[in-house]
Amino acid sequence: MSIVKSKNKKTGVTYVYESESYWDKEKQQPRAHRRLIGKLDEETGDIIPTGKSGRRDENGQIKPIEDVMADTIKDLKEEVFNQKVLIEKLMAENDALKKKNEKILKAFRDTLSKFDS
């Protein structure tokens, strides 16, 4: 998830969205679901919730924008942590494959040197 800001050129209003990427199997390309959070106050930098209902939680209660942003930040931190763990795992796997490749290459060179002599 990420936060996306989009400025309406006609009105000059900047809207803030919560964007979540996903893979579209039919079109074979990434897509995004966006949910409107609110308008950006240019002077203060605060996000002003839009609409009559605002953002609601699981119980149907209106959530303050601070809670919505805190939840989004929490989700983003969790996603970053998960990606770091995945990167470390892949790097360890890559190192193991490099060592295995070096052993095979050494054995190949040794075999080649026997035939060259």
Side-chain angles (χ1 to χ4, degrees), residues 21-117:
S21 297
Y22 69 97
W23 183 256
D24 188 339
K25 291 180 183 177
E26 289 180 19
K27 296 185 179 184
Q28 294 295 307
Q29 58 187 355
R31 295 288 184 188
H33 289 292
R34 285 188 178 182
R35 284 179 286 201
L36 180 64
I37 296 174
K39 295 179 184 181
L40 184 68
D41 184 354
E42 299 292 335
E43 294 174 7
T44 63
D46 293 338
I47 299 172
I48 303 165
T50 56
K52 294 179 184 176
S53 61
R55 301 295 300 272
R56 296 185 181 267
D57 63 9
E58 299 83 29
N59 301 326
Q61 300 296 319
I62 296 175
K63 291 175 71 174
I65 191 68
E66 293 82 13
D67 292 349
V68 172
M69 293 303 293
D71 291 346
T72 302
I73 289 170
K74 179 183 166 195
D75 292 343
L76 289 171
K77 284 181 179 179
E78 186 177 313
E79 184 64 27
V80 167
F81 175 78
N82 291 338
Q83 292 300 320
K84 283 183 179 181
V85 169
L86 179 61
I87 288 169
E88 288 175 7
K89 178 184 170 189
L90 291 172
M91 287 177 75
E93 185 179 332
N94 191 24
D95 289 342
L97 290 171
K98 283 181 181 179
K99 287 179 183 177
K100 186 176 180 180
N101 192 21
E102 287 174 11
K103 288 179 183 178
I104 293 170
L105 189 58
K106 185 180 181 303
F108 179 70
R109 286 185 180 144
D110 290 345
T111 304
L112 246 173
S113 67
K114 289 178 184 177
F115 286 109
D116 287 342
S117 302

